[in-house]
Amino acid sequence: MAVRTDIPQIAALRNAVEKHFGHPIESRTDFSLLAQEIERVTHDHIAENTLRRLWGKIAGYGTVFTRTLDVLCRYVGYEHWKTFCTEIQNSSPRESD
């Protein structure tokens, strides 16, 4: 299943990944190092270009597969994408009625 990359949960996940990684991910070297780090931690592979697409460094891609999001969520300490989204929703301040 594909998820649109312009939703707030994706931005929150990118922020969580950068925080876990230790700094903003901006250069090709950063993406390469991140891909290696993700594989070391999760034992799952995500291609450097997949990460670049998710961060908006490669234009023309508006979705990402749930499997990719699951791996990124495991990297930052969540069981999977659905758990991450639930946690984000539960921790967000509620708007008043």
Side-chain angles (χ1 to χ4, degrees):
M1 184 169 111
V3 176
R4 289 184 27 215
T5 58
D6 61 350
I7 63 173
Q9 295 90 334
I10 296 289
L13 181 57
R14 284 192 307 257
N15 288 336
V17 167
E18 289 181 348
K19 182 177 179 182
H20 190 79
F21 188 61
H23 62 83
I25 301 155
E26 299 169 343
S27 69
R28 284 192 75 118
T29 301
D30 291 336
F31 286 105
S32 179
L33 292 172
L34 177 60
Q36 292 171 27
E37 175 75 1
I38 289 168
E39 191 161 352
R40 183 186 67 77
V41 170
T42 67
H43 304 289
D44 283 308
H45 176 77
I46 296 179
E48 177 185 332
N49 280 342
T50 298
L51 295 170
R52 291 178 64 223
R53 283 191 294 272
L54 185 58
W55 260 257
K57 302 297 182 181
I58 299 176
Y61 296 90
T63 61
V64 60
F65 286 111
T66 305
R67 179 215 171 267
T68 300
L69 299 174
D70 286 341
V71 172
L72 290 171
C73 287
R74 284 196 303 277
Y75 173 69
V76 298
Y78 291 87
E79 185 178 354
H80 47 69
W81 171 242
K82 187 174 181 178
T83 304
F84 179 81
C85 290
T86 300
E87 183 69 26
I88 293 295
Q89 181 179 10
N90 290 340
S91 68
S92 297
R94 305 240 182 241
E95 291 185 24
S96 59
D97 292 327

